[in-house]
């Protein structure tokens, strides 16, 4: 087992994201792995199945770059700022080509990941009662409860080839910590064949051990750690920087125009060498508007037996 899992993002994507792979890009509201998505675009991956709760702008960008053939997702929206028009063109008009879509609720996605993580054949849930989604998605089925409670909806396991997440910090061993809103990152990681984590900061193992309850993924579940500060922009990383709401508002007009979105991908992703160059193009003035002030949550004592 490797003791140091820190590698450049370029190398991690080259190794773990292959053409035709099923890739989960998770992060709920914040900690969305935009930098990793951009690196997938730079490396010209094609034929991907992207799995994501709330596809968000990153999925629009991957589609415009020609990386994606299929989408497994829930709640199709650009955060709270508007629609995702590249997805809409593909679904509504098959422009420039059809997009295969499996739509679920947020909880349905979570249950698919959880079934994959636990290696279960399916996962039961009651929240589809009265919903139209079972009519739209043949993967949502019903079974007789073995305990005599009637029919219950079930969803199959979702097992990505690779799950990519962003977090506030990790150590070189691969122990990953995050705080703030969490979604299905842990379940999506345990369901996957490989796990890549981009982080704001790589810290010493002693830092991780000093606050173990924040460890969302232990080392044995992680294949690669990539130091990518500000790697969640334009989403946010709790305690590090705020959401770039202006970017989200700007995206509506960019996404509506088929040529403009492709021009954006070319100028901001394909013509930048890496995430550092992308950040330099954004400029310090923009980042000043995203700075946050410290808001410590207090401290706890884990205690130790006296020697």
């Amino acid at each position: 087992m490797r003791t140091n899992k820190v590698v450049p993002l370029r190398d991690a994507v080259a190794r773990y994201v292959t053409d035709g792979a099923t890739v989960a890009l998770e992060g709920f509201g914040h900690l969305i792995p935009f930098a990793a998505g951009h690196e997938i675009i730079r490396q010209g991956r094609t034929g991907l199945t992207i799995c994501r709760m709330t596809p968000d702008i990153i999925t629009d960008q991957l589609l415009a770059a020609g990386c994606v053939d299929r989408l497994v997702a829930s709640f199709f929206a650009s955060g709270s700022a508007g629609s995702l028009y590249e997805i809409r063109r593909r679904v509504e008009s098959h422009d420039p080509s059809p997009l295969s879509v499996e739509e679920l609720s947020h909880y349905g996605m979570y249950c698919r990941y959880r079934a994959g993580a636990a290696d279960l054949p399916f996962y039961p849930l009651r929240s589809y009662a009265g919903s139209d989604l079972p009519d739209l998605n043949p993967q949502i089925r019903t079974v007789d409860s073995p305990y005599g409670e009637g029919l219950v909806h079930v969803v199959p396991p979702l097992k990505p080839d690779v799950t990519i997440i962003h977090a506030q910090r990790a150590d070189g061993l691969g122990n990953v910590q995050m705080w703030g809103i969490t979604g299905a990152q842990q379940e999506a990681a345990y369901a996957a064949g490989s796990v890549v984590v981009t982080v704001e900061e790589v810290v010493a193992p002693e830092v991780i051990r000093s606050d173990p309850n924040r460890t969302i993924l232990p080392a044995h579940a992680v294949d690669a750690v990539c130091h990518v500060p500000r790697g969640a922009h334009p989403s946010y990383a709790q305690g590090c920087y705020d959401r770039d709401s202006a970017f989200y508002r700007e995206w509506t007009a960019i996404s509506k125009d088929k040529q403009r979105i492709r021009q954006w991908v070319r100028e901001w992703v394909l013509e930048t060498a890496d995430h550092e160059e992308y950040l330099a193009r954004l400029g310090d003035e923009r980042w000043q508007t995203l700075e946050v002030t410290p808001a410590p949550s207090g401290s706890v004592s884990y205690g130790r037996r006296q020697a």
Side-chain angles (χ1 to χ4, degrees):
M1 183 176 66
R2 286 185 298 159
T3 56
N4 189 347
K5 298 179 180 179
V6 179
V7 299
L9 177 58
R10 179 183 293 110
D11 295 351
V13 169
R15 177 171 182 178
Y16 295 107
V17 182
T18 58
D19 288 348
T22 296
V23 183
L25 298 169
E26 282 302 341
F28 196 68
H30 77 140
L31 298 175
I32 300 171
F34 272 91
H38 291 170
E39 186 57 33
I40 290 171
I41 292 172
R42 289 189 191 96
Q43 296 194 17
R45 293 295 179 266
T46 60
L48 301 179
T49 293
I50 294 298
C51 310
R52 210 184 126 60
M53 294 171 65
T54 310
D56 207 89
I57 291 172
I58 188 59
T59 311
D60 240 15
Q61 294 171 354
L62 285 159
L63 277 164
C67 298
V68 182
D69 284 352
R70 184 169 180 266
L71 187 59
V72 181
S74 54
F75 189 72
F76 291 67
S78 172
S80 58
S83 191
L84 298 166
Y85 286 93
E86 184 64 23
I87 293 178
R88 290 186 63 170
R89 277 189 291 274
R90 296 284 295 273
V91 173
E92 296 173 357
S93 307
H94 296 177
D95 179 18
S97 60
L99 176 66
S100 174
V101 174
E102 180 185 345
E103 184 176 1
L104 298 128
S105 62
H106 277 337
Y107 188 55
M109 281 285 291
Y110 173 81
C111 290
R112 288 208 63 191
Y113 283 134
R114 190 162 185 179
D119 199 24
L120 293 170
F122 56 81
Y123 202 91
L125 64 165
R126 292 193 181 278
S127 58
Y128 285 130
S131 168
D132 291 333
L133 276 175
D135 296 328
L136 299 173
N137 183 351
Q139 291 279 62
I140 303 170
R141 302 178 185 176
T142 56
V143 297
D144 279 312
S145 168
Y147 301 103
E149 298 177 356
L151 294 176
V152 61
H153 285 99
V154 295
V155 290
L158 180 55
K159 297 183 177 183
D161 295 306
V162 57
T163 287
I164 304 176
I165 67 171
H166 189 72
Q168 282 97 338
R169 68 188 182 197
D171 62 19
L173 301 173
N175 296 295
V176 178
Q177 294 189 334
M178 66 174 63
W179 51 92
I181 298 172
T182 56
Q185 289 101 316
Q186 188 178 64
E187 290 77 9
Y190 274 112
S194 301
V195 177
V196 174
V197 183
T198 59
V199 293
E200 295 292 323
E201 184 181 17
V202 177
V203 298
E206 292 77 17
V207 175
I208 302 295
R209 290 198 296 268
S210 72
D211 195 4
N213 280 24
R214 294 194 201 278
T215 303
I216 196 81
L217 289 176
H220 73 262
V222 176
D223 294 282
V225 173
C226 309
H227 184 213
V228 189
R230 299 174 173 174
H233 179 271
S235 74
Y236 68 103
Q238 188 73 51
C240 302
Y241 46 89
D242 204 355
R243 185 179 192 258
D244 193 342
S245 295
F247 187 103
Y248 275 82
R249 290 191 297 270
E250 292 161 7
W251 188 255
T252 298
I254 294 170
S255 181
K256 274 186 175 181
D257 188 321
K258 181 179 175 180
Q259 300 308 317
R260 189 176 174 188
I261 187 175
R262 283 155 179 77
Q263 179 182 355
W264 188 95
V265 169
R266 182 172 62 255
E267 292 181 359
W268 286 87
V269 182
L270 294 174
E271 293 179 1
T272 58
D274 51 29
H275 190 62
E276 287 187 7
E277 191 169 326
Y278 166 86
L279 294 176
R281 184 168 292 190
L282 282 171
D284 292 338
E285 185 175 343
R286 185 155 197 157
W287 274 104
Q288 290 172 5
T289 68
L290 306 179
E291 291 179 354
V292 295
T293 56
S297 65
S299 62
V300 298
S301 174
Y302 285 94
R304 288 190 178 182
R305 181 180 296 178
Q306 295 182 1

